[in-house]
Amino acid sequence: MQSIRQPVPQPLLIIDHPDFDLHDTGGGEHPETPARLTAIRRQLANSPLAGRLQSHPPRPAERTSLTAIHSESYLLRLEEAALAGRAFLDHPDNQLCYDSYQTALLAAGSGLAAIDLLEEGAGQGAFALLRPPGHHAERAMSLGFCFLNNVAVAARYWQSRHRRRKIMIIDWDAHHGNGIQAAFEEEPDIFYLSIHEHPTWSFPGTGWAADHGSGAGHGATLNLPLPPGSGDHEVRRLLTEVVEPALAAFQPEALLLAAGFDGHRDDEMSGLSYSTELYHLLGQRAAAWAARYCPGRLLALLEGGYHPPTLALSVENYLAGQLEPPRATDHNQ
């Protein structure tokens, strides 16, 4: 009798590059450092998941992809600030160095490289280990350690290059992605959903529940702010009662995740109290959503997470959840 071959599971694509370490935020007390990625790389290299992860390099984002989100004058100002050796741009939080502009181009290009690979059918999903993060960057302003809005650039590229019209962005960073909301708040075909600490207590002071977008984009912005101390239970409830109905109503053609891990109880950058296990659940749910609405088109881009050991464990848990076979009970967890 001829044996039946089981299909080989597709890998999960990891986008990474050593040049991300060149972005120097000045050391000292700044929380956004190369140690973040070093910890993740070490964790994944020693993980049981290692054999199912496939590494790929990013490419620098093209100018046309950047100007779809940022103004030309801002890009010139960012480049000049780095090359001139300035210590920061727009605010002392936004530390940079000579190499920061080129590193930011690689970060913004990580999503583009991943999208091309996913559209070729190279993997079941992708995760970009990148820095600097991006979701606070606005059209002409850097903010909150962010210079180029990596998620927004990727969303627009998915539309323009691969004709995926309806893009769902889910942002679970502890801080609201003001830059993503600002980029798309008037557009009906890019849905931005954010779970974050309430703006009364949290940077950058945006992301109110009353914000629903404007003009043609009214209804395509959904903010779900949580009070300090909120943990796994509150997020689980939102996933089932709010996020999943929003996905069903929108029917996305691609799913983009602004994957921040600073809501963990050990991370001092927020007052939220998530466990490491919550990120495993988020990976499970994300995989299930992609399988249901947009198979093979699931991309997560790293945002926050500033306690390196916990960040590394949380990323591993997220990826483990995404790689698990779907279970009928996942929806009710």
Side-chain angles (χ1 to χ4, degrees), residues 97-116:
C97 68
Y98 181 87
D99 294 303
S100 292
Y101 181 70
Q102 292 300 322
T103 306
L105 292 184
L106 275 182
S110 295
L112 315 189
I115 288 167
D116 289 344

Side-chain angles (χ1 to χ4, degrees), residues 203-282:
F203 178 88
T206 59
W208 300 88
D211 298 339
H212 297 293
S214 60
H218 183 78
T221 296
L222 181 57
N223 288 311
L224 304 172
L226 294 170
S230 297
D232 296 10
H233 174 75
E234 289 81 2
V235 175
R236 289 172 182 265
R237 179 184 61 80
L238 289 176
L239 295 180
T240 300
E241 297 179 7
V242 183
V243 178
E244 293 187 352
L247 281 156
F250 186 66
Q251 297 284 313
E253 298 171 34
L255 184 57
L256 256 173
L257 307 177
F261 297 87
D262 45 359
H264 195 282
R265 60 170 68 105
D266 292 340
D267 198 309
E268 296 181 353
M269 292 292 283
S270 85
L272 298 175
S273 189
Y274 301 166
S275 73
T276 306
E277 290 72 26
L278 178 64
Y279 297 107
H280 188 274
L281 175 65
L282 288 169

Side-chain angles (χ1 to χ4, degrees), residues 2-268:
Q2 187 176 8
S3 62
I4 299 175
R5 293 186 177 182
Q6 296 296 323
V8 177
Q10 281 191 303
L12 197 153
L13 311 178
I14 301 295
I15 310 299
D16 190 14
H17 198 283
D19 283 359
F20 288 139
D21 296 346
L22 298 178
H23 174 51
D24 184 356
T25 53
E29 298 300 316
H30 200 288
E32 205 292 282
T33 68
R36 301 172 64 232
L37 298 193
T38 299
I40 298 172
R41 292 167 183 148
R42 185 182 301 117
Q43 187 75 30
L44 297 183
N46 296 311
S47 170
L49 306 176
R52 298 189 62 188
L53 306 178
Q54 189 179 92
S55 183
H56 292 268
R59 66 170 190 267
E62 302 88 355
R63 199 74 167 188
T64 53
S65 294
L66 297 177
T67 54
I69 299 298
H70 296 286
S71 69
E72 184 72 41
S73 61
Y74 170 70
L75 296 175
L76 290 171
R77 189 162 60 87
L78 171 59
E79 183 176 18
E80 289 170 358
L83 297 182
R86 290 181 54 187
F88 64 87
L89 181 66
D90 293 333
H91 189 278
D93 281 351
N94 309 320
Q95 296 284 323
L96 45 66
C97 68
Y98 181 87
D99 294 303
S100 292
Y101 181 70
Q102 292 300 322
T103 306
L105 292 184
L106 275 182
S110 295
L112 315 189
I115 288 167
D116 289 344
L117 288 166
L118 292 175
E119 289 289 346
E120 293 167 5
Q124 63 171 281
F127 190 96
L129 301 181
L130 58 82
R131 57 184 296 272
H135 73 156
H136 294 309
E138 298 197 357
R139 179 168 178 78
M141 182 176 69
S142 58
L143 191 69
F145 319 151
C146 302
F147 299 97
L148 299 175
N149 200 310
N150 308 316
V151 169
V153 169
R156 184 64 80 213
Y157 180 81
W158 224 331
Q159 284 186 323
S160 63
R161 177 66 179 84
H162 294 284
R163 306 303 177 190
R164 303 296 180 186
R165 184 173 62 91
K166 300 184 73 176
I167 311 294
M168 182 85 167
I169 300 171
I170 298 178
D171 185 344
W172 70 65
D173 190 278
H175 307 94
H176 178 248
N178 57 288
I180 302 175
Q181 179 172 309
F184 302 125
E185 61 187 350
E186 296 184 1
E187 299 194 25
D189 292 333
I190 296 182
F191 195 115
Y192 178 61
L193 185 153
S194 178
I195 302 173
H196 53 270
E197 190 173 13
H198 199 282
T200 300
W201 295 279
S202 181
F203 178 88
T206 59
W208 300 88
D211 298 339
H212 297 293
S214 60
H218 183 78
T221 296
L222 181 57
N223 288 311
L224 304 172
L226 294 170
S230 297
D232 296 10
H233 174 75
E234 289 81 2
V235 175
R236 289 172 182 265
R237 179 184 61 80
L238 289 176
L239 295 180
T240 300
E241 297 179 7
V242 183
V243 178
E244 293 187 352
L247 281 156
F250 186 66
Q251 297 284 313
E253 298 171 34
L255 184 57
L256 256 173
L257 307 177
F261 297 87
D262 45 359
H264 195 282
R265 60 170 68 105
D266 292 340
D267 198 309
E268 296 181 353

